[in-house]
């Protein structure tokens, strides 16, 4: 068992255990990170079961599990499988997508602020959705496509504007902040041009909500995951090398710009798809990778733990939005915005006391 280098800002070193298969393949398992991933998965699944049982017709957790395994009565099967399960699955997939997208962006930019919230991708997706709502009175499917297209265009614009013999961290963040400000201005203009009905519809969408989500949002997200997650895992080694700097990555045989561009495209698609499915849910992409890294105390992007943390955060926030405020149900984006803002302030104060900012 080998004691590896301690991550900057961590209080203790972490331990990794080498494992060799019969075929000669050797992998190194970080025991702490694996434990964190398992615990987060358990927390996400537990919160999902509780959330499925929450509502005007409460269902005990035991009955929820029986219904999910096909042993519930007709009424419970309709409520669980048709009304509540799709919403929870969308929440899990959106949270995991934002967590993974945020981890990719923070690893590529080597900056804890390099998340889709700061870089303007969510605002770009919002601009695409508002264009469909305000100018074309689009249907739900058209709004979804508009959000996806807006995110892709915004990501392309950030990459092109940040390019100068490669894309580097601080330039990427600064360009993203500028593009974000422009997208916010466009969104404000579109809202002023909308009639009262379309404006109300747009404001609800811009808040970020899981209300009314069904299987039509689940299947596209699952299909996208089936394509994108293997791409991320296949390039995970290159991503780890990129965090040590371009020169080191080149020396280790990584095709730096190809890897960076591919992973940025994956992160943009994940973020745009999540925004299209649930609206611009704030701060999950920023906080999930940071919380995951603090729990694992492991260097690198912590992709699996960031995914699990994002899913857990969004499902718990959705439960809080339904139950923590009495009869008033809030959109989940309001809850994540409040919690994420508090976390960001705490992070800034902590980093300032440590002398890092």
């Amino acid at each position: 068992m080998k004691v590896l280098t301690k991550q900057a800002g961590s209080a203790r070193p972490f331990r990794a255990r080498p494992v060799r298969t019969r075929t000669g393949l050797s992998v190194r398992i970080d025991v702490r990170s694996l434990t964190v991933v398992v615990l987060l998965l358990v927390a996400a699944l537990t919160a999902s079961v509780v959330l499925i049982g929450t509502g005007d017709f409460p269902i005990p957790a035991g009955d929820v599990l029986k219904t999910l395994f096909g042993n519930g009565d007709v009424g419970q099967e309709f409520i669980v499988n048709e009304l509540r399960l799709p919403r929870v699955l969308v929440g899990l997939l959106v949270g995991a997508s934002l967590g993974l997208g945020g981890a990719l962006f923070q690893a590529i930019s080597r900056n804890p602020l390099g998340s889709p919230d700061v870089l303007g991708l969510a605002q770009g997706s919002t601009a695409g959705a508002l264009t469909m709502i305000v100018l074309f009175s689009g249907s739900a499917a058209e709004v979804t496509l508009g959000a996806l297209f807006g995110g892709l265009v915004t990501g392309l614009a950030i990459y092109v504007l940040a390019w100068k013999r490669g894309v580097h961290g601080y330039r990427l963040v600064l360009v993203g902040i500028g593009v974000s400000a422009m997208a916010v201005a466009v969104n404000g203009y579109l809202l002023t041009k909308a009639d009262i009905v379309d404006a109300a519809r747009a404001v609800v969408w811009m808040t970020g909500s899981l209300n009314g989500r069904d299987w039509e949002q689940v299947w596209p997200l699952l299909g996208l995951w089936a394509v994108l997650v293997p791409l991320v895992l296949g390039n995970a080694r290159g991503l780890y090398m990129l965090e040590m700097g371009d020169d080191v990555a080149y020396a280790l045989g990584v095709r730096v710009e190809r890897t960076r561009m591919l992973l940025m495209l994956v992160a943009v698609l994940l973020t745009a798809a999540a925004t299209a499915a649930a609206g611009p849910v704030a701060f999950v992409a920023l906080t999930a990778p940071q919380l995951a890294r603090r729990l694992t105390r492991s260097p690198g992007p912590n992709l699996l733990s960031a995914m699990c943390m994002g899913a857990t955060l969004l499902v718990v926030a959705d439960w809080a939005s339904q139950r923590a405020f009495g009869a008033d149900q809030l959109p989940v984006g309001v809850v994540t915005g409040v919690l994420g803002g508090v976390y960001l302030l705490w992070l800034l104060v902590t980093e300032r006391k440590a002398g890092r900012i």
Side-chain angles (χ1 to χ4, degrees):
M1 187 181 297
K2 181 181 178 182
V3 180
L4 301 180
T5 307
K6 191 167 60 173
Q7 180 195 351
S10 299
R12 302 173 187 170
F14 68 92
R15 294 181 180 272
R17 185 185 300 275
V19 177
R20 185 177 297 276
T21 65
R22 293 182 178 179
T23 60
L25 177 65
S26 179
V27 295
R28 189 175 294 272
I29 298 176
D30 182 353
V31 178
R32 184 186 178 97
S33 295
L34 181 61
T35 303
V36 169
V37 168
V38 172
L39 291 177
L40 287 174
L41 282 174
V42 171
L45 294 177
T46 302
S48 298
V49 171
V50 173
L51 183 57
I52 290 174
T54 299
D56 294 333
F57 185 82
I59 303 175
D63 290 341
V64 170
L65 292 174
K66 286 169 56 179
T67 304
L68 290 175
F69 286 104
N71 297 319
D73 59 40
V74 176
Q76 289 176 341
E77 286 185 357
F78 175 75
I79 292 173
V80 170
N81 296 329
E82 299 299 326
L83 299 181
R84 297 179 183 173
L85 179 59
R87 174 187 177 127
V88 171
L89 289 177
V90 170
L92 289 171
L93 290 169
V94 167
S97 297
L98 292 174
L100 179 56
L104 289 172
F105 271 116
Q106 290 176 17
I108 291 169
S109 64
R110 285 178 282 167
N111 191 315
L113 294 179
S115 78
D117 300 296
V118 177
L119 297 180
L121 291 173
Q123 290 80 1
S125 295
T126 302
L130 287 183
T131 300
M132 298 305 299
I133 292 173
V134 174
L135 300 183
F136 302 103
S137 297
S139 63
E142 291 170 340
V143 171
T144 298
L145 290 176
L148 190 60
F149 182 75
L152 289 172
V153 171
T154 305
L156 178 62
I158 293 171
Y159 188 86
V160 170
L161 293 173
W163 175 271
K164 185 179 180 182
R165 293 189 297 274
V167 175
H168 301 283
Y170 283 104
R171 188 161 63 242
L172 183 68
V173 172
L174 291 175
V175 169
I177 291 173
V179 171
S180 176
M182 295 172 62
V184 169
V186 170
N187 295 339
Y189 171 76
L190 289 172
L191 284 176
T192 63
K193 301 298 291 183
D195 60 43
I196 188 65
V197 175
D198 285 340
R201 180 185 172 198
V203 169
V204 170
W205 189 91
M206 290 172 62
T207 305
S209 175
L210 295 175
N211 292 336
R213 299 306 184 264
D214 56 26
W215 292 105
E216 290 184 2
Q217 284 81 36
V218 174
W219 300 121
L221 284 172
L222 282 176
L224 197 66
W225 263 62
V227 175
L228 297 183
V229 172
L231 280 177
V232 174
L233 297 179
N235 289 273
R237 177 184 175 276
L239 184 62
Y240 276 85
M241 299 300 104
L242 283 176
E243 285 204 319
M244 296 189 292
D246 288 1
D247 293 338
V248 174
Y250 273 122
L252 293 173
V254 178
R255 300 174 65 180
V256 172
E257 287 307 324
R258 176 185 176 278
T259 301
R260 182 182 285 126
M261 184 171 64
L262 177 62
L263 291 177
M264 278 191 64
L265 176 62
V266 171
V268 168
L269 286 172
L270 287 169
T271 305
T275 305
V281 180
F283 281 114
V284 174
L286 176 66
T287 57
Q290 293 297 311
L291 291 174
R293 181 170 292 198
R294 289 177 179 275
L295 288 176
T296 61
R297 299 181 183 177
S298 173
N302 290 278
L303 299 177
L304 288 177
S305 55
M307 282 193 294
C308 297
M309 178 62 74
T312 303
L313 284 177
L314 196 54
V315 172
V316 172
D318 192 32
W319 177 87
S321 70
Q322 295 186 53
R323 306 302 297 175
F325 300 94
D328 298 325
Q329 293 191 9
L330 298 179
V332 68
V334 174
V335 178
T336 60
V338 172
L339 297 177
V342 171
Y343 171 78
L344 181 59
L345 290 174
W346 174 82
L347 179 63
L348 292 174
V349 171
T350 302
E351 294 293 305
R352 182 178 180 183
K353 287 182 178 179
R356 288 190 283 269
I357 59 173

